[in-house]
């Protein structure tokens, strides 16, 4: 059997001796097979072992409250100055308003802003914002702009926070994610006597409504409001504020 393999190998070499080889000599060498057999199996297919960089990670999500440019009016604390008509974006991570001007992008620290209203390019109704420092703090310290979902004696507010998940890729094991993932989460609050109070469930809504709690509970049940959704919470507080006005 061994002699037969030797004869076949000799014939193979003679056939391709004067032609173009499909496999380069350095790949056909015996020591190449030895190197492959000695390679750690866990490293097979790992491009970094051969000096080839893997695909880079991406940033999934956005640091902006709304990635579109929205025309806005801004009321500053300083001398009640108004900035009007410019397209803006709200950078939640850095608490900055980016303003698009004819001479480039300007930035404005949110701490200088008392109120902001913009018209979303995809929405009909304007969105109103108020600086969190206009309110007293309860247990947590809030900063930045709060969206005014419902205005009235008992304003309903929304704070958007970022949950940034950094890459956890382990090259040696080729496991994990190379991407930076940005999630936005909402905290719903209401203001009572200037104090910010977090709303987590229906019980908190009824507590906020005070002596209207039975009437509000009936309204929620009758209209089948889903308080885990903005629309349901908005309707509940529109009803509460209509009764308190």
């Amino acid at each position: 059997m061994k002699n037969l393999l030797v004869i076949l190998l000799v014939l193979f070499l003679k056939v391709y001796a004067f032609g173009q080889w499909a496999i380069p000599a350095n790949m056909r060498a015996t020591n190449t097979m030895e190197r492959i057999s000695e390679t750690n199996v866990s490293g097979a297919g790992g491009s970094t072992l051969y000096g080839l960089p893997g695909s880079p990670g991406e940033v999934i999500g956005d640091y902006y409250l709304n990635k579109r440019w929205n025309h806005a009016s801004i009321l500053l604390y300083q001398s009640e100055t108004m900035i009007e008509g410019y397209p803006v974006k709200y950078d939640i991570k850095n608490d900055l308003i980016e303003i698009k001007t004819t001479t480039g992008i300007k930035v404005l620290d949110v701490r200088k802003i008392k109120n902001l209203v913009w018209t979303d390019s995809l929405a009909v109704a304007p969105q109103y914002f108020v600086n969190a420092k206009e309110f007293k703090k309860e247990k947590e310290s809030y900063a930045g702009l709060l969206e005014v979902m419902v205005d009235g004696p008992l304003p309903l507010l929304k704070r958007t926070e970022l949950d940034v998940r950094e890459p956890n890729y382990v090259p040696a094991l080729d496991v994990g994610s190379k991407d930076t993932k940005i999630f936005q989460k909402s905290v719903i609050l209401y203001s009572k006597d200037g104090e910010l109070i977090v709303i987590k469930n229906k019980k908190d809504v009824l507590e906020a409504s005070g002596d209207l709690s039975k009437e509000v509970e009936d309204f929620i049940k009758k209209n089948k409001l889903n308080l885990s959704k903005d629309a349901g919470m908005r309707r509940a507080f529109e009803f509460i504020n209509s009764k308190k006005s």
Side-chain angles (χ1 to χ4, degrees), residues 15 17 24 58 76 81 84 86 91 110 120 131 133-134 149 157 161 171 178 180 198 201-203 233 242-245:
V15 169
E58 299 178 352
L76 303 179
T81 304
E84 296 185 277
Y86 290 97
D91 177 350
V110 161
D120 190 318
N131 200 309
K133 67 181 180 181
E134 286 294 293
M149 298 174 68
L157 307 158
E161 300 178 345
K178 300 178 183 179
T180 298
V198 177
N201 48 42
K202 180 181 173 182
K203 180 183 176 182
M233 189 67 75
S242 71
K243 294 294 182 178
K244 288 184 174 288
S245 298

Side-chain angles (χ1 to χ4, degrees), residues 156 188-190 197-202 204-205 208 233 237:
L156 180 68
I188 305 299
L189 315 100
Y190 69 95
I197 303 169
V198 177
I199 301 176
K200 296 180 179 178
N201 48 42
K202 180 181 173 182
D204 293 335
V205 174
M233 189 67 75
F237 268 77

Side-chain angles (χ1 to χ4, degrees), residues 92-111:
I92 303 171
K93 180 184 178 183
N94 299 301
D95 255 343
L96 296 172
I97 293 295
E98 294 185 5
I99 304 173
K100 184 190 285 187
T101 73
T102 54
T103 57
I105 306 299
K106 310 295 182 182
V107 294
L108 179 63
D109 193 323
V110 161
R111 290 175 295 182

Side-chain angles (χ1 to χ4, degrees), residues 156-188:
L156 180 68
L157 307 158
K158 181 200 289 187
R159 171 178 167 78
T160 302
E161 300 178 345
L162 297 178
D163 177 11
V164 181
R165 301 181 190 178
E166 301 293 344
N168 59 1
Y169 180 68
V170 182
L173 301 176
D174 194 24
V175 296
S177 173
K178 300 178 183 179
D179 302 326
T180 298
K181 298 178 181 178
I182 306 167
F183 299 92
Q184 294 189 3
K185 58 180 182 179
S186 298
V187 177
I188 305 299

Side-chain angles (χ1 to χ4, degrees), residues 39-194:
T39 300
N40 190 314
V41 175
S42 64
S47 58
T48 54
L49 294 177
Y50 301 96
L52 300 177
S55 58
E58 299 178 352
V59 176
I60 301 173
D62 217 301
Y63 291 116
Y64 294 103
L65 178 64
N66 183 327
K67 63 183 179 181
R68 297 180 295 277
W69 290 100
N70 300 302
H71 283 82
S73 292
I74 303 170
L75 177 63
L76 303 179
Y77 278 109
Q78 184 179 7
S79 304
E80 298 286 310
T81 304
M82 290 283 293
I83 300 175
E84 296 185 277
Y86 290 97
V88 306
K89 286 183 181 180
Y90 179 20
D91 177 350
I92 303 171
K93 180 184 178 183
N94 299 301
D95 255 343
L96 296 172
I97 293 295
E98 294 185 5
I99 304 173
K100 184 190 285 187
T101 73
T102 54
T103 57
I105 306 299
K106 310 295 182 182
V107 294
L108 179 63
D109 193 323
V110 161
R111 290 175 295 182
K112 297 180 179 179
I113 298 172
K114 185 175 183 179
N115 293 96
L116 180 149
V117 56
W118 73 31
T119 304
D120 190 318
S121 56
L122 295 183
V124 177
Q127 286 179 280
Y128 294 89
F129 300 86
V130 60
N131 200 309
K133 67 181 180 181
E134 286 294 293
F135 305 94
K136 301 174 187 176
K137 310 302 187 290
E138 192 189 29
K139 295 179 181 178
E140 297 185 50
S141 178
Y142 295 108
L145 296 178
L146 305 177
E147 181 184 350
V148 182
M149 298 174 68
V150 177
D151 205 1
L154 210 67
L156 180 68
L157 307 158
K158 181 200 289 187
R159 171 178 167 78
T160 302
E161 300 178 345
L162 297 178
D163 177 11
V164 181
R165 301 181 190 178
E166 301 293 344
N168 59 1
Y169 180 68
V170 182
L173 301 176
D174 194 24
V175 296
S177 173
K178 300 178 183 179
D179 302 326
T180 298
K181 298 178 181 178
I182 306 167
F183 299 92
Q184 294 189 3
K185 58 180 182 179
S186 298
V187 177
I188 305 299
L189 315 100
Y190 69 95
S191 173
K192 183 177 182 180
D193 299 324

Side-chain angles (χ1 to χ4, degrees), residues 23-33 35:
I23 303 173
N26 61 339
M27 293 294 290
R28 293 195 304 273
T30 303
N31 61 351
T32 300
M33 295 304 296
R35 289 198 304 271

